[in-house]
């Protein structure tokens, strides 16, 4: 059973390229690339039926995401639509940035009364963590330099147009291919903002020289982002575009050290201190060059007003090191800053001073990224297990207990900035205190469960399920008879799933569930067209 509550009102009237008929007249859809909470992403082949040589039709692959405009009901679960303002904002930012300088390129937008199609360039290399995990034996210092260079280039492009991304993290960085020399693309502008004055200038179609020249002077107060990558000033809700530089700094740490899931709060506390030695961050490779830490210190400078801009950091020695290691310049897509990044306008390698940085292998970093991917599957399988096996009251009680324990723990010295995450062994202790030892037994059957005892479990994953449950408890656009049917069907389905699990659950079964969940997406945010769907993947397999 499925349904959708649609609306004839256009969400993106001034950005749309056509309607559904227009979309299907030029694109032929192919394989599903992924499925999110708000819709599916497919390969869409842009067809050319009028070849000059009279040959067969040709095509160019793109990524097409179809979003339901209204509330949907699938697999006995109600899903709210993405907020129109969020969708409009993201599409407008993509149009504004025009796919230049390592920002995702928007090809076209199509809208019908029920759906919206967002067509972008295709990125087949996966997100940053996925991509890094595939680089065994190949990842070196110069590749890290190139990643940071391209990411800073994207941020500089955003800031020059008054755009603050506000959620820079590995999950929002995609790679065009799995090759070690692949370009990256910054995605997911759903949490971003355009300064109001700049938005007015953009709407008026002013020339490039009339863009914002110093967006750092513009203060903002709306919280956005993912906690581990969030700047101190963002927590205080008084920030500028420099908050993105902080997030790039934390991402630069994760690139070489891996996501510190086994030591997350400690890493977070070090990052959030005013005075700290960044060399003490967990899992950093040995013998990283001093130039890397010079760059990292300046990106993670605590007073944001003293923090360097992306344009400044693009000139740092470590960031420029990737050029020295190439016999040719990479395709960096820079419009207007090439002279700034070299200082003298000469882009030849021979004109630059040789760096003291040495190329070194970072295989240990690749291993840690691979380990985190396997843990991510485990973590999502645990979240699904808890959501299915616990009754609603017990599920909410578990969230409350975990949150209380977290709030009582020591936080960073700069204020109450404790991450909403607890070690797996603590989650198990709480479940036992609730007389839910049976669930703990199931958790321990998961592959490699014993290895993850001290890895942190994100409470936010449970809140995703809780939010979906809340939808059924609220007044909806559906009539009462349909609402009653939904409640009854959802309850019967959950009871059936629990009964089946108790009879047939196994480690292999849970491994498959975790892998399916992981393919559905990584982001905890519901603020973007790139959002994920955790609950549905479990239901489809149950």
């Amino acid at each position: 059973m499925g349904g959708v509550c649609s609306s004839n009102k256009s969400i993106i009237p001034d950005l749309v390229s056509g309607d559904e008929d227009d979309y299907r007249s030029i694109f032929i859809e192919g394989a599903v690339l992924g499925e999110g909470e708000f819709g599916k992403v497919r390969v869409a082949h842009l067809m050319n039926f009028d070849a000059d040589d009279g040959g067969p039709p040709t095509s160019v692959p793109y990524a097409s995401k179809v979003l339901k405009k209204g509330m949907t009901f699938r697999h006995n679960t109600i899903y709210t639509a993405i907020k129109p303002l969020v969708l409009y904002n993201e599409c407008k930012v993509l149009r504004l940035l025009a796919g230049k300088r390592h920002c995702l390129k928007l090809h076209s937008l199509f809208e019908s009364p029920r759906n919206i199609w967002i067509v972008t360039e295709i990125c087949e290399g996966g997100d940053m963590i996925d991509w890094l995990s595939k680089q065994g034996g190949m990842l070196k210092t110069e590749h890290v330099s190139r990643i940071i260079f391209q990411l800073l280039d994207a941020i500089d492009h955003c800031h020059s147009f008054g755009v603050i991304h506000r959620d820079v993290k590995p999950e929002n960085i995609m790679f065009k291919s799995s090759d070690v020399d692949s370009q990256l693309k910054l995605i997911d502008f759903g949490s971003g903002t355009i300064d109001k004055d700049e938005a007015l200038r953009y709407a008026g179609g002013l020339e490039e020289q009339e863009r914002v020249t110093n967006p750092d002077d513009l203060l903002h107060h709306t919280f956005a982002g993912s906690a581990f990558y969030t700047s101190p000033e963002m927590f205080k809700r008084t920030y500028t575009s420099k908050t993105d530089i902080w997030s790039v700094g934390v991402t630069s740490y994760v690139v070489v050290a891996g996501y510190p899931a086994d030591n997350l709060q400690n890493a977070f506390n070090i990052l959030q201190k005013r005075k700290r030695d960044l060399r003490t961050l967990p899992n950093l490779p040995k013998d990283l060059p001093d130039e890397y830490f010079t760059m990292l210190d300046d990106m993670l400078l605590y007073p944001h007003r003293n923090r360097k801009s992306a344009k400044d950091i693009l000139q740092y020695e470590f960031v420029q090191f990737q050029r020295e290691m190439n016999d040719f310049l990479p395709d960096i897509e820079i419009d207007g800053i090439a002279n700034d990044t070299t200082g003298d306008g000469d882009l030849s390698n021979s004109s630059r001073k040789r760096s003291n940085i040495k190329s070194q292998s970072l295989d240990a970093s690749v291993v840690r990224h691979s380990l985190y991917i396997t843990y991510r599957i485990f973590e999502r399988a645990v979240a699904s297990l808890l959501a299915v096996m616990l009754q609603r009251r017990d599920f909410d009680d578990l969230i409350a207990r975990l949150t209380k324990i977290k709030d009582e723990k020591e936080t960073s010295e700069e204020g109450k900035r404790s991450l909403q995450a607890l070690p797996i062994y603590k989650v198990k202790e709480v479940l036992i205190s609730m007389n839910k030892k049976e669930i703990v037994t199931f958790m321990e059957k998961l592959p490699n469960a014993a290895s993850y005892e001290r890895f942190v479990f994100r409470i936010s994953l449970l809140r995703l399920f809780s939010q979906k449950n809340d939808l059924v408890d609220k007044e909806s656009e559906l009539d009462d008879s349909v609402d009653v049917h939904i409640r009854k069907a959802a309850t019967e389905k959950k009871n059936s799933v629990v009964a089946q699990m108790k009879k047939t659950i196994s480690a292999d079964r849970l491994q498959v569930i975790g892998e399916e969940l992981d393919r559905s997406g990584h982001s905890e945010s519901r603020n973007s067209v790139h959002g994920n769907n955790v609950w549905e993947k479990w239901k489809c397999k149950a």
Side-chain angles (χ1 to χ4, degrees):
M1 178 178 179
V4 60
C5 300
S6 60
S7 170
N8 289 322
K9 185 177 180 180
S10 177
I11 295 176
I12 50 174
D14 56 333
L15 302 176
V16 71
S17 305
D19 58 18
E20 181 172 2
D21 290 339
D22 296 321
Y23 170 75
R24 300 199 181 281
S25 70
I26 58 176
F27 287 101
I28 295 179
E29 291 184 342
V32 174
L33 296 174
E35 184 169 1
E37 182 173 340
F38 302 112
K40 289 184 178 180
V41 181
R42 293 180 179 272
V43 176
H45 299 277
L46 178 62
M47 303 303 297
N48 177 14
F49 296 99
D50 301 316
D52 293 337
D53 58 1
T58 59
S59 67
V60 178
Y62 288 88
S64 173
K65 185 155 193 171
V66 57
L67 305 175
K68 301 296 183 183
K69 292 173 67 174
M71 181 178 60
T72 59
F73 175 55
R74 301 191 312 273
H75 305 290
N76 300 313
T77 303
I78 300 175
Y79 297 92
T80 55
I82 188 170
K83 295 178 180 178
L85 183 61
V86 171
L87 176 60
Y88 180 82
N89 179 67
E90 178 159 15
C91 293
K92 189 168 184 176
V93 169
L94 288 171
R95 284 278 195 215
L96 175 62
L97 299 177
K100 296 181 179 180
R101 295 174 58 185
H102 304 103
C103 293
L104 185 71
K105 184 176 181 62
L106 176 67
H107 178 273
S108 51
L109 296 163
F110 300 87
E111 184 175 19
S112 75
R114 296 167 65 92
N115 300 319
I116 292 175
W117 289 265
I118 301 177
V119 183
T120 67
E121 64 180 308
I122 193 167
C123 296
E124 298 178 302
D127 71 23
M128 178 174 282
I129 301 296
D130 292 329
W131 182 86
L132 286 165
S133 71
K134 301 170 186 174
Q135 306 307 319
M138 294 183 287
L139 188 68
K140 295 182 178 180
T141 319
E142 57 265 31
H143 300 128
V144 173
S145 171
R146 191 195 72 243
I147 289 170
I148 297 172
F149 176 90
Q150 293 183 359
L151 182 54
L152 284 167
D153 184 39
I155 293 300
D156 182 57
H157 183 52
C158 292
H159 291 179
S160 70
F161 280 93
V163 173
I164 309 177
H165 188 283
R166 299 197 297 193
D167 198 18
V168 178
K169 58 182 179 180
E171 290 86 349
N172 289 338
I173 300 164
M174 300 291 290
F175 283 78
K176 293 289 289 179
S177 74
S178 297
D179 297 339
V180 73
D181 59 352
S182 171
Q183 287 190 33
L184 64 78
K185 295 289 179 176
L186 182 63
I187 69 166
D188 200 343
F189 293 87
S191 296
T193 184
I194 307 175
D195 179 77
K196 292 180 180 179
D197 292 336
E198 169 56 21
L200 291 173
R201 281 190 283 273
Y202 168 60
L206 299 184
E207 297 298 324
E208 183 171 346
Q209 61 266 25
E210 296 179 270
R211 294 180 299 175
V212 167
T213 57
N214 190 14
D216 298 340
D217 292 336
L218 306 172
L219 289 176
H220 294 262
H221 307 284
T222 301
F223 184 88
S226 303
F228 185 69
Y229 301 90
T230 296
S231 67
E233 66 270 19
M234 175 66 80
F235 280 114
K236 297 175 181 177
R237 290 170 172 76
T238 303
Y239 58 92
T240 68
S241 61
K242 296 288 184 66
T243 190
D244 285 343
I245 304 302
W246 178 281
S247 300
V248 173
V250 180
T251 300
S252 300
Y253 157 64
V254 171
V255 169
V256 297
Y259 185 74
D262 54 343
N263 209 350
L264 192 64
Q265 188 66 54
N266 179 42
F268 182 69
N269 287 346
I270 293 173
L271 290 167
Q272 293 290 324
K273 289 179 180 178
R274 287 181 181 271
K275 296 181 180 180
R276 76 286 209 231
D277 180 2
L278 294 179
R279 293 174 187 265
T280 64
L281 283 166
N283 307 320
L284 281 171
K286 295 180 179 179
D287 302 323
L288 280 174
D290 291 339
E291 291 81 359
Y292 170 84
F293 289 102
T294 298
M295 173 201 70
L296 198 64
D297 279 329
D298 283 357
M299 286 197 286
L300 297 175
L301 195 63
Y302 198 96
H304 67 90
R305 295 189 183 279
N306 298 333
R307 201 175 300 149
K308 299 286 187 180
S309 68
K311 185 180 291 292
D312 292 333
I313 300 173
L314 275 166
Q315 301 181 51
Y316 277 39
E317 187 172 353
F318 185 82
V319 180
Q320 289 292 316
F321 174 62
Q322 46 89 25
R323 291 188 169 199
E324 182 178 305
M325 297 304 296
N326 287 298
D327 294 330
F328 57 91
L329 288 177
D331 182 7
I332 55 177
E333 302 181 11
I334 295 184
D335 296 336
I337 71 164
N339 290 346
D340 293 333
T341 57
T342 59
D344 57 7
D346 185 350
L347 295 180
S348 65
N349 288 333
S350 60
S351 68
R352 298 191 192 94
K353 179 182 177 181
R354 292 289 295 181
S355 172
N356 293 322
I357 303 173
K358 304 296 183 184
S359 175
Q360 66 183 78
S361 174
L362 295 172
D363 265 358
S365 302
V366 176
V367 171
R368 288 200 59 82
H369 289 300
S370 299
L371 177 63
Y372 178 58
I373 286 178
T374 60
Y375 172 68
R376 193 166 58 188
I377 295 171
F378 171 88
E379 183 187 32
R380 291 182 178 276
V382 168
S384 299
L385 184 69
L386 296 173
V388 171
M389 294 196 68
L390 288 172
Q391 295 297 321
R392 173 65 186 271
R393 181 179 299 176
D394 290 335
F395 188 75
D396 290 343
D397 184 33
L398 174 64
I399 294 176
R401 291 186 185 216
L402 294 176
T403 302
K404 182 179 179 181
I405 292 173
K406 194 61 209 171
D407 288 344
E408 290 174 350
K409 289 179 69 66
E410 181 182 0
T411 59
S412 70
E413 66 179 26
E414 302 302 334
K416 195 171 184 179
R417 296 179 194 153
S418 177
L419 294 170
Q420 291 297 303
L422 284 170
I424 289 292
Y425 77 87
K426 280 288 185 184
V427 177
K428 291 163 66 175
E429 287 178 1
V430 172
L431 287 168
I432 291 173
S433 72
M434 295 171 61
N435 296 318
K436 303 298 179 183
K437 192 171 182 179
E438 181 183 26
I439 298 178
V440 173
T441 301
F442 285 142
M443 288 173 59
E444 291 173 345
K445 290 182 179 180
L446 286 164
N448 302 314
S451 303
Y452 300 135
E453 286 290 288
R454 295 194 173 275
F455 280 55
V456 294
F457 178 82
R458 291 169 293 168
I459 303 172
S460 58
L461 289 180
L462 298 182
R463 292 199 177 99
L464 283 176
F465 290 97
S466 182
Q467 289 168 358
K468 294 182 190 305
N469 286 333
D470 287 342
L471 294 175
V472 182
D473 295 333
K474 295 178 180 179
E475 291 185 1
S476 71
E477 299 173 24
L478 303 176
D479 62 49
D480 291 340
S481 61
V482 175
D483 186 56
V484 169
H485 176 78
I486 290 173
R487 291 172 185 269
K488 182 178 179 181
T491 301
E492 291 176 351
K493 179 67 175 178
K494 181 170 181 176
N495 291 339
S496 173
V497 169
V498 172
Q500 182 181 358
M501 284 178 59
K502 290 181 177 180
K503 292 180 180 179
T504 64
I505 197 162
S506 67
D508 292 340
R509 171 83 172 94
L510 289 172
Q511 174 75 9
V512 170
I513 291 167
E515 290 172 350
E516 289 295 325
L517 289 169
D518 195 59
R519 281 196 290 270
S520 71
H522 313 134
S523 174
E524 300 167 36
S525 172
R526 294 164 55 88
N527 290 332
S528 169
V529 297
H530 302 282
N532 65 316
N533 178 354
V534 179
W535 186 219
E536 179 179 347
K537 286 292 183 179
W538 170 272
K539 288 175 171 293
C540 289
K541 289 290 182 180

